[in-house]
Amino acid sequence: MARPEDLIVFKAIAGRGRDMDDLTALLTLYPKVDLVRIRARVQELAALADAPTISVGLEAAITASRKVRSMGAVRAPGQKAARGLARTGRAKPKKARRPTTKVPRSRLTKNKKTSPRR
């Protein structure tokens, strides 16, 4: 099973827009990852791929995750949300109730073929 550090390295190497968003989210959710190990591995792979801009994207994601973390809007893994709040921090919307309609009891039973009444 991949550790958060491994996923962060994979996302940094991929470097697409969605991967960079995922990278920022991973760094925000797991602030205690080994950044020295991550930086070393990303720089090593960037050198092999001859793409030094990969490490620039990693540093940008690290900075962005620190900004998000400092705002205090993110929960650590395993931490429960405040009662009544959704993931976004807004109150949960109330569920809409279905309008009730009265159906005659005769329509609730299965229609059986019966002989005509006399």
Side-chain angles (χ1 to χ4, degrees):
M1 182 175 225
R3 296 184 300 189
E5 289 92 349
D6 300 326
L7 291 173
I8 290 168
V9 170
F10 294 149
K11 293 292 185 177
I13 296 301
R16 298 175 299 184
R18 177 65 189 164
D19 291 317
M20 299 311 285
D21 293 341
D22 292 343
L23 177 60
T24 304
L26 284 168
L27 288 166
T28 303
L29 290 172
Y30 298 96
K32 296 181 181 180
V33 292
D34 187 2
L35 288 177
V36 173
R37 178 178 172 265
I38 292 170
R39 284 183 174 120
R41 188 70 178 144
V42 168
Q43 287 174 356
E44 178 185 341
L45 293 171
L48 289 171
D50 198 28
T53 58
I54 293 173
S55 57
V56 173
L58 173 66
E59 294 302 323
I62 291 171
T63 303
S65 69
R66 286 182 178 159
K67 284 182 184 177
V68 171
R69 201 75 158 121
S70 68
M71 292 174 15
V74 177
R75 294 179 283 132
Q79 182 183 9
K80 292 184 179 180
R83 187 173 173 93
L85 297 179
R87 287 181 127 178
T88 59
R90 297 185 302 250
K92 290 183 181 178
K94 291 185 178 182
K95 290 184 179 179
R97 290 187 162 200
R98 290 176 126 182
T100 57
T101 57
K102 292 189 176 185
V103 179
R105 214 165 174 59
S106 61
R107 292 184 70 196
L108 293 176
T109 59
K110 290 185 179 179
N111 291 335
K112 295 181 180 178
K113 291 185 178 180
T114 58
S115 59
R117 294 187 180 187
R118 294 184 211 173

